[in-house]
Amino acid sequence: QNDCAMQFFKKFADKAEKDPLVPLGCAATLTCLCAGLYAFLKGHANLSQKLMRARVVAQAATVAVFLSGSLAVSKMRTEDEKRPPGMSKVEFDLLKREDEAVKK
């Protein structure tokens, strides 16, 4: 179980390094949500409503950053890295090797 947790945090750290705004947006969303719920429990309905609206804005910004990052990564792939849908990586690698051998 500890190994699974370590793998999760390693993956999270790797992804956060590639796109640091997504975890920041998640933290902002969670902060607005928790603060809004706390304000609601304390009876501050107006403040709670404002914080929930801020949460929606933070969440939308996070999704926008995530989508733009995904789009940027997909555009950076070269033609050599693209393989046809349904073709496994092993088959694609073999096909590339055969093409290189034919070209020589």
Side-chain angles (χ1 to χ4, degrees):
Q1 184 177 358
N2 191 21
D3 187 41
C4 184
M6 292 302 289
Q7 286 178 345
F8 170 78
F9 287 116
K10 184 179 180 337
K11 279 185 178 180
F12 182 80
D14 289 344
K15 290 185 182 202
E17 186 177 316
K18 290 178 185 173
D19 202 356
L21 294 178
V22 172
L24 205 81
C26 290
T29 301
L30 184 62
T31 301
C32 289
L33 177 64
C34 292
L37 289 174
Y38 182 76
F40 183 74
L41 287 173
K42 292 296 180 179
H44 303 291
N46 288 338
L47 178 60
S48 176
Q49 186 66 25
K50 288 179 184 176
L51 287 166
M52 287 299 139
R53 288 179 183 156
R55 176 196 58 87
V56 170
V57 170
Q59 195 169 357
T62 302
V63 170
V65 166
F66 177 75
L67 290 176
S68 64
S70 295
L71 182 65
V73 167
S74 71
K75 294 289 183 186
M76 288 179 3
R77 291 174 58 182
T78 64
E79 286 298 319
D80 292 337
E81 294 173 330
K82 293 183 180 178
R83 65 176 186 256
M87 182 180 282
S88 73
K89 181 158 176 40
V90 173
E91 290 173 323
F92 186 67
D93 289 343
L94 286 173
L95 190 62
K96 279 188 358 184
R97 287 184 195 148
E98 288 175 3
D99 285 347
E100 289 171 3
V102 169
K103 288 178 183 177
K104 290 181 181 182

